[in-house]
Amino acid sequence: MSVVLRVPATTSAAELVLRPWRDDDIEALLEIYRDPELRARTRHPLRTAADARRWVARHRQGWAAGRRFCFAVCETDPVDGGQRLVACVLLKDVTPGRPEAEVGYWTAAAARGRGVASRAVDAVSGWAFTRFAATGLTRLELLHEVDNPASCRVAEKSGYPFVEVLPARPPYPGDGHRHVRRRD
């Protein structure tokens, strides 16, 4: 399944194109993962081209299995139409008959604070509810650690109100927040 989602440009933000990851994303992916903030908040930081190739292959397998859908989020340059990788949004644990799944994301350092994550999470959430309505999907969860207020803002802006604090559980050392968005 090849899915491409487009989020239109606004007066203050470029168009976003969300698509499956490709091998030609590896160099940009490694550059993004040089960011210490991203490395600190991910369980499996990418350090080498081999790591990145395995990561891309794993996400291809997720698409093929129909349970894990990882989107590369690219910003479109309004002048030349070129695309620059700026984020990742993941829909995971999609199972027919199961009413919930989880959304996760990360944003490249250069794209933080510009609404990229909330626009991309909103787009994937809308797609998920449409695509998987017939299989019973009615609820999406977004989880993050309590010491990440930026993720709280992304969740709220993309239609995921705060629901509860979750106790710490491996591999995360701190408590977390659960945000939930329900299908209309």
Side-chain angles (χ1 to χ4, degrees), residues 122-167:
D122 182 56
V124 169
S125 301
W127 170 79
F129 283 134
T130 300
R131 169 68 179 82
F132 299 104
T135 65
L137 182 66
T138 60
R139 169 186 161 116
L140 292 173
E141 296 185 349
L142 189 156
L143 309 173
H144 66 84
E145 292 186 51
V146 295
D147 70 344
N148 190 345
S151 280
C152 262
R153 289 190 297 275
V154 167
E156 296 287 336
K157 286 180 180 179
S158 54
Y160 286 76
F162 172 77
V163 173
E164 65 182 328
V165 173
L166 300 171

Side-chain angles (χ1 to χ4, degrees), residues 90-93 100-104 139-143:
L90 169 68
L91 173 67
K92 61 184 178 178
D93 302 328
E100 69 268 344
E102 184 181 340
V103 171
R139 169 186 161 116
L140 292 173
E141 296 185 349
L142 189 156
L143 309 173

Side-chain angles (χ1 to χ4, degrees), residues 38-119:
L38 181 57
R39 282 181 182 235
R41 294 204 181 270
T42 187
R43 287 189 287 176
H44 306 288
L46 305 177
R47 291 184 170 84
T48 68
D51 291 342
R53 278 192 294 280
R54 280 190 296 274
W55 189 89
V56 169
R58 182 173 141 237
H59 289 300
R60 260 198 216 111
Q61 292 167 352
W63 277 93
R67 292 186 42 124
R68 190 176 180 94
F69 305 91
C70 192
F71 291 86
V73 179
C74 300
E75 212 168 37
T76 302
D77 186 309
V79 176
D80 66 14
Q83 295 182 354
R84 180 175 63 116
L85 184 60
V86 292
C88 172
V89 178
L90 169 68
L91 173 67
K92 61 184 178 178
D93 302 328
V94 177
T95 305
R98 185 172 173 224
E100 69 268 344
E102 184 181 340
V103 171
Y105 75 94
W106 53 252
T107 309
R112 291 185 193 131
R114 297 192 289 115
V116 168
S118 58
R119 293 170 63 217

